[in-house]
Amino acid sequence: MRILLVRHGQSQWNATHRLQGQADIALSETGRSQADALRTTIDGLKPCRAITSDLERVRETAARIGAPDATPIRDLREIDVGDWTGRTTTDIIAEDETAYLAWRAGTGTPPGGEPWEAFADRVTAVIRSEAETPCTNLLVACHGGVIRAILQRFLDLQPASIIPVAPASLTAMRLENGNGKPHRLELFNYRPTSLDFGAPD
């Protein structure tokens, strides 16, 4: 079973480097264009079904890449960043760089935020549940943190070793169900129009 992981396009807060967490922020015009550019790629892969975070920026991305009827799932929301919601990464780093780097590595929790392990547990539970129903290419429209959590839990790639996931990019993972083979990363951060090595959190 292949999992097609798509991060939402650039949001209005991504554009100003503000952490969103579970704040329901819309796509920017750039984000809409990014999602539109990915549609041909997704169409060619012919997903057998699609699920999505229930937040607006992800639901619109899902619709723009060809999955307007994707099933919204609350547990696919981004990690809750608590008191950091709406703050710029520059301000957070200036205040406490150690805390910010620990959060990015999955070892620290923002004040009032969601611990990484609890976040990864809820995301992983969704993917394991979906894997119980046969599907060749499952489309999962979600968030950058969700993708990092999935890569950690299924491929043992630690958050500190994964660059931020680019807006409207495709990451593909092959799940091997009980046949003794390891799960495998097939594609990471693919964008049909450009590479992005400096994606926002």
Side-chain angles (χ1 to χ4, degrees):
M1 179 176 183
R2 177 177 293 114
I3 310 295
L4 304 173
L5 300 161
V6 174
R7 184 187 181 186
H8 61 81
Q10 182 196 74
S11 72
Q12 294 170 2
W13 280 12
N14 287 150
T16 55
H17 297 280
R18 294 182 183 278
L19 293 187
Q20 298 167 113
Q22 297 186 6
D24 204 3
I25 310 302
L27 293 179
S28 66
E29 286 305 314
T30 295
R32 294 185 176 100
S33 297
Q34 291 169 336
D36 291 344
L38 190 59
R39 178 163 185 160
T40 299
T41 299
I42 299 302
D43 283 347
L45 291 168
K46 297 179 172 56
C48 45
R49 69 177 186 273
I51 58 177
T52 179
S53 161
D54 64 346
L55 297 181
E56 179 182 353
R57 59 190 180 272
V58 187
R59 289 186 292 108
E60 183 175 356
T61 297
R64 286 179 174 275
I65 62 175
D69 298 323
T71 301
I73 299 177
R74 182 182 178 86
D75 279 347
L76 285 177
R77 285 186 176 194
E78 183 60 283
I79 192 168
D80 185 345
V81 294
D83 294 351
W84 289 357
T85 302
R87 296 189 61 191
T88 66
T89 54
T90 300
D91 285 347
I92 295 167
I93 290 169
E95 180 180 278
D96 192 339
E97 183 175 13
T98 300
Y100 175 77
L101 293 176
W103 171 71
R104 282 289 292 116
T107 59
T109 304
E114 181 179 18
W116 177 266
E117 290 303 315
F119 165 62
D121 283 346
R122 68 169 165 86
V123 168
T124 302
V126 172
I127 300 304
R128 292 196 188 283
S129 176
E130 290 292 328
E132 292 176 0
T133 303
C135 180
T136 301
N137 289 323
L138 172 66
L139 178 62
V140 181
C142 56
H143 306 266
V146 170
I147 294 172
R148 291 199 296 267
I150 290 170
L151 296 182
Q152 180 197 38
R153 289 297 180 85
F154 287 93
L155 301 176
D156 201 29
L157 293 173
Q158 298 308 306
S161 300
I162 304 173
I163 65 171
V165 181
S169 66
L170 170 63
T171 293
M173 180 179 68
R174 170 72 69 176
L175 289 187
E176 303 292 351
N177 296 325
N179 59 12
K181 295 181 180 179
H183 305 315
R184 292 171 291 172
L185 182 64
E186 295 183 312
L187 188 69
F188 179 71
N189 251 7
Y190 171 78
R191 296 175 72 186
T193 56
S194 63
L195 298 175
D196 189 342
F197 293 107
D201 286 314

